[in-house]
């Protein structure tokens, strides 16, 4: 049954004509309210994942649950359809189970708070915020076991419940949930931060409705949605062909020895509607790399990508959703069947953006992006220090951003808006470790007219024994280049003992025991290059040699001859470029590097790790039963 909205005043809102000035004021007030939600969150939260890195996502929606401002799109429509309960003034919903909201949050670490906003007895809006909790129980510190085979191993699952009911706080519920966590103080502070953020936004919505009138405020939100619809309708007609185009990419492995896993999407337009069909995507994994992709979330991803590439001036909201149809096969890696594990979904989540880049640029190569977002590297470090106190680190690392039509990809950066790195000083102050290196990896970005961003190396020296876990990807299948650009370098992880001996460790590992003095070299992938490397300015390549971004040997990929000081030999460069041009054929639209079977055959020699084994879906089905 759908949710029952209890209102003491059910008078319909009256549609008002909105002049451009009033619309602009309300639009920017909503933008500011969204920013204030973020500011409230980081000033109140305690965990480094939220406070330092900003791993949380705000939302302000209209009275029907459609996002007006936010980032991940609105889940509220689907929630209202499936929530068998009431919503009234003074209520607040709390949840973390992805299956309860069709994947609007993608794993149980994401705690979500939803606040319906009432004014004089009428439902006026919704505000919501979800953020990643550092630990929610489960089999491993951090609650993201890459080897989980079902969601019950991933910590506490919270169905949609009322944390506030008619203005009364459900303290016993919160005590029960926090009791499951290894870091209850952080979780309590982060939960309060989510609640405070929603209340701040609700207050701003009420203030706007009082200043302009409720009917004017509601009419303005509807016009913002309609304006976005008109803009996207025009943009889609111009940029998306009726002829289908397909693209596929791979998640390297599942952390249990199997891989790679294919993600495939085909796109075409039928009239005003764009179809995005994931038929051909591999079946779900027995491990936790599954990603329960919410259709509305993907519509928002698609819309954001379209807007940022083709027309960045458009304010994105949910107004265009009826122009997009998303088809995801049941039982696939992107629509796994309950109770499939989901905690390692970050790799598929990142790879979705690479697939969008490959889809949207095929008909318009000048707008094509290379691969590079690819994943969201995670490091976990936990143990008990000399004082007997439990410590637990969850940190998100960054890779190389892809080369783009407008320039180079940033080095060691996050593609997520608002994400920042955890300062080394913070890490060393609050955790028993020392950061010995934090720098870009020269030559790891794919060569091109516009260079792919370099990956980074962070070298951690651990001062206390404990366990670490690593979740990363792009170690087997490299990030591809476009328009003649070259692939980026792959990720790798090296564990070094105090005696200097080194071991290559996997990019998806759990419960790796470490001793005091052990060193981890955490190296991420680079972004693919964009355009012909031989067209890059040789003096720019020389400058990058001086900056440590490119080596003299790496400069040869651009046909540039330079010394260790970055001084370019122009005559030798012209000769080398002529030689390279004479020996190559037409530049490929996509440069994926070697094929899968070649990568498999060369894997151990090139990476130090055994090649992943092709998944056997029949065995997975038997295991699931």
């Amino acid at each position: 049954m759908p949710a029952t909205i209890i209102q003491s005043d059910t008078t319909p809102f009256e549609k008002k004509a909105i002049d451009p000035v009033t619309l602009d004021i309300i639009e920017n007030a909503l933008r500011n309210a969204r920013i204030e939600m973020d500011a409230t969150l980081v000033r109140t939260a305690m965990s480094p994942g939220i406070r330092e890195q900003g791993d949380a996502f705000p939302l302000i929606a209209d009275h029907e649950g459609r996002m007006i401002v936010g980032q991940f799109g609105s889940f509220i429509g689907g929630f209202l359809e499936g929530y068998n309960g009431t919503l009234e003034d003074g209520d607040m919903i709390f949840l973390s189970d992805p299956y309860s909201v069709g994947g609007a949050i993608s794993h149980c670490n994401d705690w979500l708070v939803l606040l319906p906003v009432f004014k004089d007895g009428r439902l006026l809006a919704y505000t919501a915020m979800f953020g990643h909790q550092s630990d929610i129980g489960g089999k491993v510190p951090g609650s993201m076991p890459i080897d989980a085979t079902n969601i019950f191993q991933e910590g506490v699952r919270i169905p949609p419940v009322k944390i506030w009911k008619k203005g009364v706080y459900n303290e016993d519920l919160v005590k029960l949930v926090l009791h499951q966590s290894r870091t209850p103080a952080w979780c309590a502070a982060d939960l309060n931060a989510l609640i405070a953020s929603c209340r701040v936004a609700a207050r701003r919505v009420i203030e706007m409705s009082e200043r302009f009138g409720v009917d004017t405020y509601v009419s303005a939100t509807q016009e913002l949605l309609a304006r976005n619809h008109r803009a996207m309708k025009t943009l889609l007609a111009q940029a998306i062909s009726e002829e289908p185009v397909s693209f596929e990419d791979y998640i390297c492995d599942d952390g249990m020895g199997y891989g790679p896993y294919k993600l495939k999407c085909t796109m075409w337009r039928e009239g005003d509607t764009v179809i995005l069909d994931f038929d051909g995507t591999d079946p779900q994994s027995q491990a936790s790399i599954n990603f329960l992709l919410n259709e509305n979330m993907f519509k928002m991803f698609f819309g954001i990508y379209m807007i940022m590439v083709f027309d960045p001036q458009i304010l994105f909201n949910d107004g265009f959703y009826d122009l997009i149809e998303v088809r995801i096969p049941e039982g696939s890696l992107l629509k796994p069947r309950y109770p499939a594990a989901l905690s390692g979904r970050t790799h598929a989540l990142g790879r979705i953006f690479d697939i969008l880049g490959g889809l949207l640029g095929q008909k318009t190569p000048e707008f094509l992006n290379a691969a590079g977002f690819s994943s969201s590297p995670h490091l976990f470090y936990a143990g008990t220090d000399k004082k007997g106190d439990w410590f637990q680190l969850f940190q998100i690392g960054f890779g190389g951003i892809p080369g783009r039509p407008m320039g180079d990809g940033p080095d060691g950066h996050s593609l997520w808006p608002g994400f920042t790195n955890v300062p080394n000083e913070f890490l060393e102050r609050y955790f028993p470790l020392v950061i010995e290196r934090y720098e870009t990896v020269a030559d790891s970005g794919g060569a091109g007219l516009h260079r792919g961003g370099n990956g980074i190396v962070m070298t951690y020296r651990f001062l206390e024994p404990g366990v670490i876990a690593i979740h990363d990807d792009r170690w087997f299948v490299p990030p591809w280049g476009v328009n003649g650009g070259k692939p980026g370098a792959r990720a790798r992880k090296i564990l070094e003992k105090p005696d200097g001996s080194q071991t290559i460790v996997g990019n998806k590992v759990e419960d790796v025991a470490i001793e005091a003095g052990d060193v981890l070299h955490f190296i991420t992938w680079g972004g693919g290059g964009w355009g012909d490397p031989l067209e890059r300015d040789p003096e720019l390549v020389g400058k990058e040699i001086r900056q440590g971004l490119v080596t003299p040997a790496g400069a040869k990929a651009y046909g540039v001859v330079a010394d260790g000081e970055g001084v370019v030999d122009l005559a030798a460069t012209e000769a080398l470029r002529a030689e390279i041009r004479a020996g190559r054929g037409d530049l490929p639209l996509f440069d994926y590097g070697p094929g899968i079977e070649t990568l498999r055959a060369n894997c151990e020699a090139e990476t130090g790790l055994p090649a992943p084994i092709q998944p056997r879906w029949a065995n997975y089905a038997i295991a699931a039963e």
Side-chain angles (χ1 to χ4, degrees):
M1 292 178 60
T4 301
I5 309 298
I6 299 176
Q7 304 179 89
S8 59
D9 183 355
T10 58
T11 305
F13 296 110
E14 181 183 347
K15 184 175 182 179
K16 297 283 189 179
I18 307 296
D19 64 85
V21 174
T22 300
L23 185 66
D24 190 58
I25 292 172
I26 292 176
E27 176 184 7
N28 283 283
L30 286 165
R31 288 179 191 256
N32 290 338
R34 177 255 164 97
I35 294 170
E36 193 174 359
M37 292 178 78
D38 289 333
T40 301
L41 189 80
V42 300
R43 287 177 171 86
T44 314
M46 284 183 61
S47 70
I50 292 181
R51 187 176 74 178
E52 302 297 326
Q53 298 212 268
D55 191 358
F57 303 91
L59 166 70
I60 301 175
D62 74 346
H63 61 289
E64 296 181 7
R66 296 174 296 181
M67 188 188 83
I68 307 299
V69 293
Q71 189 165 320
F72 260 39
S74 179
F75 62 93
I76 299 173
F79 163 76
L80 293 174
E81 291 175 6
Y83 178 58
N84 185 19
T86 61
L87 281 179
E88 55 189 308
D89 198 1
D91 288 352
M92 179 182 286
I93 299 295
F94 176 36
L95 63 93
S96 74
D97 177 19
Y99 288 106
S100 70
V101 284
I105 52 174
S106 54
H107 64 164
C108 292
N109 288 75
D110 287 335
W111 284 7
L112 185 148
V113 170
L114 169 66
L115 175 62
V117 182
F118 289 80
K119 176 75 166 65
D120 299 328
R122 285 194 291 182
L123 179 63
L124 181 62
Y126 293 90
T127 64
M129 175 78 86
F130 73 85
H132 179 100
Q133 300 299 314
S134 295
D135 190 280
I136 57 166
K139 63 183 290 190
V140 297
S143 315
M144 294 175 61
I146 199 69
D147 58 350
T149 56
N150 61 68
I151 199 169
F152 300 109
Q153 299 170 334
E154 298 177 337
V156 62
R157 296 166 52 234
I158 308 165
V161 292
K162 292 184 179 181
I163 190 172
W164 290 80
K165 183 175 183 179
K166 296 182 181 180
V168 178
Y169 183 56
N170 193 340
E171 185 175 0
D172 287 342
L173 167 68
V174 175
K175 286 181 179 179
L176 176 65
V177 170
L178 295 179
H179 191 66
Q180 315 307 312
S181 174
R182 298 173 180 86
T183 58
W186 281 3
C187 287
D190 291 354
L191 176 58
N192 287 333
L194 298 173
I195 292 171
S197 298
C198 290
R199 293 205 182 281
V200 164
R203 187 159 57 245
R204 298 296 174 255
V205 168
I206 295 294
E207 289 170 354
M208 278 181 266
S209 69
E210 290 174 344
R211 176 180 177 185
F212 296 100
V214 171
D215 292 325
T216 298
Y217 170 79
V218 171
S219 296
T221 61
Q222 304 314 293
E223 174 55 27
L224 290 173
L225 291 165
R227 187 182 68 183
N228 187 268
H229 187 280
R230 293 191 297 269
M232 285 294 292
K233 182 177 180 179
T234 301
L235 190 58
L236 293 174
Q238 294 173 345
I240 308 299
S241 170
E242 294 182 347
E243 180 183 352
V245 294
S246 295
F247 196 78
E248 59 188 49
D249 206 342
Y250 295 86
I251 298 171
C252 295
D253 71 317
D254 59 8
M256 298 178 72
Y258 294 96
Y261 289 78
K262 181 173 68 175
L263 302 178
K264 181 179 179 180
C265 188
T266 302
M267 176 182 69
W268 70 95
R269 182 170 52 82
E270 295 180 0
D272 293 330
T273 302
V274 171
I275 313 296
L276 294 155
D277 190 342
F278 283 93
D279 185 44
T281 293
D282 278 345
Q284 67 192 65
S285 169
Q286 64 176 341
S288 70
I289 61 168
N290 303 295
F291 177 26
L292 183 59
L293 178 57
N294 178 269
E295 284 82 358
N296 280 350
M297 182 186 291
F298 185 68
K299 290 177 184 180
M300 180 53 61
F301 290 166
F302 178 79
I304 292 172
Y305 206 102
M306 284 285 297
I307 289 166
M308 296 309 294
V309 171
F310 294 101
D311 191 350
Q313 298 306 310
I314 298 175
L315 172 68
F316 60 86
N317 57 39
D318 283 4
F320 66 91
Y321 279 9
D322 66 330
L323 298 171
I324 312 293
E325 179 181 340
V326 179
R327 303 172 183 174
I328 308 174
E330 288 288 335
S332 69
L333 197 74
L334 299 178
K335 189 67 70 174
R337 294 186 175 94
Y338 173 84
L342 303 173
S343 61
R345 88 289 179 237
T346 184
H347 315 294
L349 174 58
R351 203 57 47 83
I352 287 294
F353 284 92
D354 282 347
I355 288 175
L356 284 174
L359 277 175
L360 291 171
Q362 289 189 41
K363 298 295 184 181
T364 51
E366 66 273 17
F367 291 110
L368 190 61
N369 281 352
F373 181 51
S374 299
S375 185
S376 185
H378 291 2
L379 172 68
F380 303 84
Y381 170 41
T384 303
D385 63 19
K386 292 182 176 66
K387 297 183 293 183
D389 294 332
W390 176 257
F391 63 86
Q392 184 173 320
L393 169 66
F394 159 67
Q395 183 183 8
I396 300 174
F398 302 144
I401 299 299
R404 304 163 294 166
M406 70 290 293
D408 297 343
D411 303 303
H413 202 279
S414 173
L415 197 63
W416 294 115
F419 265 32
T420 57
N421 66 303
V422 179
N424 293 342
E425 295 81 3
F426 179 95
L427 293 171
E428 294 178 342
R429 170 65 179 82
Y430 290 99
F431 301 97
L433 55 79
V434 174
I435 307 298
E436 296 190 342
R437 294 176 66 197
Y438 185 15
E439 58 192 51
T440 61
V441 180
D443 298 332
S444 57
L449 170 63
H450 299 151
R451 178 176 59 82
N454 282 334
I456 61 172
V457 54
M458 287 193 71
T459 297
Y460 301 83
R461 181 174 295 276
F462 303 112
L463 304 181
E464 296 281 4
V467 294
I468 62 171
I470 299 169
H471 296 186
D472 198 7
D473 207 60
R474 285 296 191 198
W475 69 271
F476 179 66
V477 180
W480 32 269
V482 297
N483 292 330
K486 298 297 183 181
R490 294 178 286 182
R492 61 190 189 278
K493 310 293 181 286
I494 304 169
L495 186 61
E496 182 178 343
K497 290 301 207 180
D499 63 4
S501 60
Q502 294 186 344
T503 303
I504 305 294
V505 295
N507 283 266
K508 297 184 185 70
V509 292
E510 293 287 351
D511 285 331
V512 177
I514 53 100
E515 300 296 330
D518 285 357
V519 171
L520 175 66
H521 304 281
F522 193 102
I523 304 165
T524 61
W525 27 263
W530 189 99
D532 185 354
L534 303 186
E535 298 297 323
R536 191 168 177 85
D537 181 0
E539 293 301 333
L540 177 57
V541 176
K543 179 181 179 181
E544 292 185 317
I545 291 174
R546 295 190 293 274
Q547 294 173 329
L549 302 173
V550 176
T551 66
K556 298 293 178 62
Y558 302 89
V560 172
V561 179
D563 62 18
E565 301 300 319
V567 177
V568 176
D569 185 331
L570 292 177
T573 294
E574 289 179 5
L576 177 58
R577 287 185 164 182
E579 179 184 344
I580 294 173
R581 286 192 179 98
R584 72 183 187 188
D586 294 335
L587 295 178
L589 183 60
F590 296 98
D591 188 341
Y592 302 101
I596 296 296
E597 292 311 313
T598 301
L599 290 171
R600 209 186 294 278
N602 298 336
C603 184
E604 192 149 7
E606 293 178 352
T607 70
L609 297 169
I613 301 168
Q614 181 63 36
R616 297 189 293 271
W617 311 117
N619 287 358
Y620 286 14
I622 292 170
E625 294 171 1

